[in-house]
Amino acid sequence: MLTDVDLRAHLLAAGLAGAVGTTREESLRSYRLFAARDPRLLIGLDPEGVWGERELLMLMADRCGVSVDPAHTSGHDVIDPERTLAALDALAERLAVAAERGEPVLLGTGHPHRMLGFYAALADALSAAGCAVLTPAQGRSVDITTRFGLRTHNLDYVRGVGLVRADTGERPGGEPGVHTHSPLPVRTALAAAADAGGPLPELVIGDHGWVCGAGQLGFETVGAADVNDPAPFVGEAEGSVSLVVPLDDGVRSDYYLPLARYVLNRACLSQ
């Protein structure tokens, strides 16, 4: 069984916490864009409060452990591993409740290249515990604005985890999908579930637009976010997102699997 001491060491060795791959320049640029209400950084969230750069920096220092000094403008950013561990423990507690109640759940990621395996492990365990893992709107087209303009994508599910693929005409079911921050995939999935008469998820698990988009619509959401993605943490601070695990979301995919094992062990959901 992976202990918290073991996992802390793994977080630091893998660059999931401690000094992470995300640069300070990236983080500060994101905070500036979020403060300006740029939709690319809001990712489906409509903040209630006024979040300037200073307020965002203070929030991210509190939730992630980044430096609060605005004069610190270069180098690698940091995530406090103790904050990551505490959030993973809280995630385990919430998954245990979902399993005990047999709640229907919806999972999705904008980082299929990196985090698909992490969410898929959670989906497998929740399904084995009796939760319905929902897959609404599979195959539905979603038009997403990218840096290349408006592009059509297709909503797909791999091992119960939602993602989008470029509309290239290739057969669904391959891996891994495309990176996106858009809230449109989860909005499409939730609308399809509602149109079909349910069930609707009692818990949405994921990242980027999946968390913020669902949380903004009033669904309980939990997930993970990097230090250059302030929207989920603002959502958590304002109550539209229930829980965010701070971690680097750009490391090797296999580095996330010990986190899944740790969470599932803590939730008594290991298979």
Side-chain angles (χ1 to χ4, degrees):
M1 181 180 294
L2 198 65
T3 68
D4 55 351
V5 174
D6 296 331
L7 186 59
R8 186 182 190 280
H10 172 71
L11 291 172
L12 295 172
L16 288 155
V20 295
T22 307
T23 66
R24 182 70 166 182
E25 293 93 333
E26 289 178 273
S27 296
L28 294 177
R29 178 179 180 273
S30 294
Y31 306 160
R32 286 195 297 272
L33 292 173
F34 187 97
R37 298 287 179 125
D38 189 313
R40 293 172 297 175
L41 271 295
L42 295 178
I43 56 178
L45 194 71
D46 183 15
E48 297 175 357
V50 177
W51 292 90
E53 293 176 50
R54 179 64 179 173
E55 289 79 13
L56 288 168
L57 192 57
M58 293 176 64
L59 173 71
M60 298 303 282
D62 177 64
R63 300 300 166 108
C64 302
V66 305
S67 171
V68 75
D69 183 3
H72 178 197
T73 59
S74 62
H76 288 278
D77 224 327
V78 297
I79 295 175
D80 178 8
E82 300 304 327
R83 287 171 168 83
T84 305
L85 284 169
L88 289 170
D89 288 343
L91 176 60
E93 292 178 8
R94 183 60 186 90
L95 296 185
V97 171
E100 181 181 358
R101 296 174 177 171
E103 295 176 346
V105 296
L106 175 66
L107 298 95
T109 181
H111 263 297
H113 293 76
R114 307 295 184 185
M115 300 196 66
L116 177 60
F118 172 79
Y119 295 117
L122 305 187
D124 289 344
L126 289 168
S127 177
C131 295
V133 177
L134 307 179
T135 58
Q138 182 156 15
R140 189 76 57 85
S141 294
V142 184
D143 291 331
I144 297 175
T145 300
T146 73
R147 57 179 175 166
F148 306 109
L150 195 65
R151 294 291 185 269
T152 299
H153 296 72
N154 296 320
L155 182 59
D156 195 13
Y157 292 87
V158 176
R159 291 176 58 194
V161 182
L163 50 85
V164 293
R165 303 183 187 282
D167 185 13
T168 59
E170 64 182 49
R171 179 181 62 83
E175 295 204 30
V178 301
H179 173 238
T180 181
H181 286 224
S182 175
L184 295 178
V186 75
R187 290 176 183 168
T188 300
L190 292 170
D195 290 344
L200 294 173
E202 294 183 31
L203 182 66
V204 177
I205 305 167
D207 49 49
H208 290 332
W210 286 86
V211 165
C212 292
Q216 186 63 44
L217 293 174
F219 291 87
E220 183 178 1
T221 61
V222 297
D226 206 336
V227 289
N228 63 341
D229 288 325
F233 296 101
V234 170
E236 185 182 36
E238 292 190 341
S240 59
V241 174
S242 293
L243 172 69
V244 186
V245 179
L247 50 75
D248 189 316
D249 60 12
V251 304
R252 281 173 35 179
S253 58
D254 56 314
Y255 288 168
Y256 298 99
L257 299 182
L259 280 63
R261 291 198 296 270
Y262 176 85
V263 167
L264 295 176
N265 281 333
R266 298 279 293 188
C268 298
L269 292 174
S270 296
Q271 300 178 59

